[in-house]
Amino acid sequence: YQRRVHGTLSECLFFFGAVVMAAFTDLLGEELLQKSNTVKTSTALEGKVVALYFSAHWCPPCRGFTPKLSEWYTNSLSGKGLEVVFISSDKGETEFKEYYGEQPWLALPYSERDRKDKLSKKFGVQGIPTLVILNANGKVITKDGRSAISSDPTGEEFPWIPKPFGEVIGSDFIGQGGSKLDRSAIEGKVLGIYFSAHWCPPCRGFTPRLAEWYKAMKAKNLPWQLTLPSFFLFLSFSSVVRVAHLRLFLHPVIANKALSTSILQVA
């Protein structure tokens, strides 16, 4: 009986591994480039967190980011278990070969133009450089891998799984008049996260209308709350358009990056 259970477990693990590898093969094809050689996709990406790097030599931001990513990959991230696959938007194979020659990771063969277009569509790539990070099962971790890696180039938070919203939002808030509030102020509420700033003309035009709508919702006793991650560094509230809502009390850069990538779920 024990032998049978062990055999069944081994078969299940083998089947699961085959399914995972098939996911990357279906996505990227049977083979990838490793400099001048080709490697089996299933072998090269087995057990890896995979970053699909959409880039091109003609793109100035790409040429600025690629050397940094190469350095981070070589010094830290490859050792953590990250593999990068270059998805080229170069205008020709000559340009592709020249640009890929500067990169230390894998690449989708340039001839796979249809697959490249399907990948761009699948992951909603609107511009380059774009870095889409997938887990070892081929599922998306984040489509903003460029920001994730740039803020953590040594991979201390690898593989950069977005934190739950309830963890990111914290528990300290400021109400109107400067009163300090705790997490109970938002518990059980539907939250609207309003990214805005006084220096932004469209914001100054929209905020008064949002304020009136918000007041109308509150008058109906609906369980709605609006939080405003401030873009200001320790500035007086008098420099901000007044609205009858709560304001999230977090460091602006951390708050805006974290909230933009978090799972919108109050834990």
Side-chain angles (χ1 to χ4, degrees):
Y1 174 76
Q2 289 180 339
R3 185 177 301 172
R4 176 56 185 162
V5 170
H6 183 270
T8 302
L9 178 59
S10 298
E11 291 167 5
C12 289
L13 291 175
F14 177 81
F15 176 75
F16 177 73
V19 169
V20 169
M21 288 302 99
F24 280 123
T25 300
D26 289 345
L27 193 66
L28 300 170
E30 292 286 342
E31 294 183 331
L32 295 170
L33 292 180
Q34 188 174 52
K35 293 315 205 181
S36 59
N37 300 316
T38 58
V39 292
K40 291 289 186 182
T41 301
S42 57
T43 302
L45 302 183
E46 183 176 4
K48 299 285 188 177
V49 170
V50 178
L52 303 181
Y53 183 38
F54 296 84
S55 183
H57 186 267
W58 53 259
C59 163
C62 299
R63 293 200 305 273
F65 180 65
T66 297
K68 296 177 182 177
L69 181 60
S70 297
E71 179 183 350
W72 300 335
Y73 171 86
T74 301
N75 292 345
S76 301
L77 302 180
S78 178
K80 296 274 186 177
L82 180 73
E83 188 54 77
V84 178
V85 179
F86 171 43
I87 312 294
S88 174
S89 291
D90 288 297
K91 297 177 180 179
E93 190 158 8
T94 300
E95 291 83 355
F96 162 76
K97 289 180 177 178
E98 179 183 349
Y99 189 36
Y100 180 47
E102 304 170 6
Q103 303 172 28
W105 40 67
L106 306 174
L108 182 76
Y110 187 79
S111 58
E112 295 270 19
R113 294 293 83 194
D114 288 344
R115 190 178 297 274
K116 177 264 177 187
D117 291 340
K118 290 177 181 178
L119 289 168
S120 296
K121 184 176 181 179
K122 178 179 177 66
F123 295 110
V125 176
Q126 299 295 318
I128 54 175
T130 290
L131 204 62
V132 178
I133 299 178
L134 310 176
N135 67 16
N137 299 331
K139 303 297 183 182
V140 175
I141 293 177
T142 178
K143 293 183 180 180
D144 191 17
R146 182 184 177 191
S147 294
I149 292 179
S150 295
S151 62
D152 180 32
T154 60
E156 296 301 314
E157 297 184 9
F158 175 84
W160 307 289
I161 298 172
K163 295 178 180 179
F165 180 74
E167 180 181 340
V168 172
I169 199 169
S171 58
D172 298 320
F173 303 88
I174 294 177
Q176 289 300 299
S179 60
K180 293 185 178 181
L181 302 171
D182 59 24
R183 194 178 178 85
S184 63
I186 65 169
E187 288 180 347
K189 304 284 182 66
V190 176
L191 298 180
I193 310 300
Y194 180 38
F195 294 85
S196 182
H198 185 267
W199 51 259
C200 166
C203 299
R204 293 200 303 272
F206 175 69
T207 299
R209 289 185 289 166
L210 179 62
E212 291 304 314
W213 176 84
Y214 174 81
K215 291 174 183 177
M217 295 298 101
K218 295 293 285 186
K220 295 178 181 179
N221 294 318
L222 295 177
W224 166 265
Q225 197 54 273
L226 185 71
T227 60
L228 171 61
S230 173
F231 279 79
F232 299 92
L233 285 168
F234 309 108
L235 295 184
S236 167
F237 292 164
S238 63
S239 64
V240 185
V241 175
R242 290 283 184 173
V243 185
H245 56 54
L246 300 178
R247 295 180 58 233
L248 182 63
F249 189 60
L250 288 174
H251 185 284
V253 175
I254 296 174
N256 289 315
K257 279 189 177 180
L259 286 171
S260 296
T261 59
S262 291
I263 301 170
L264 296 181
Q265 173 183 341
V266 178

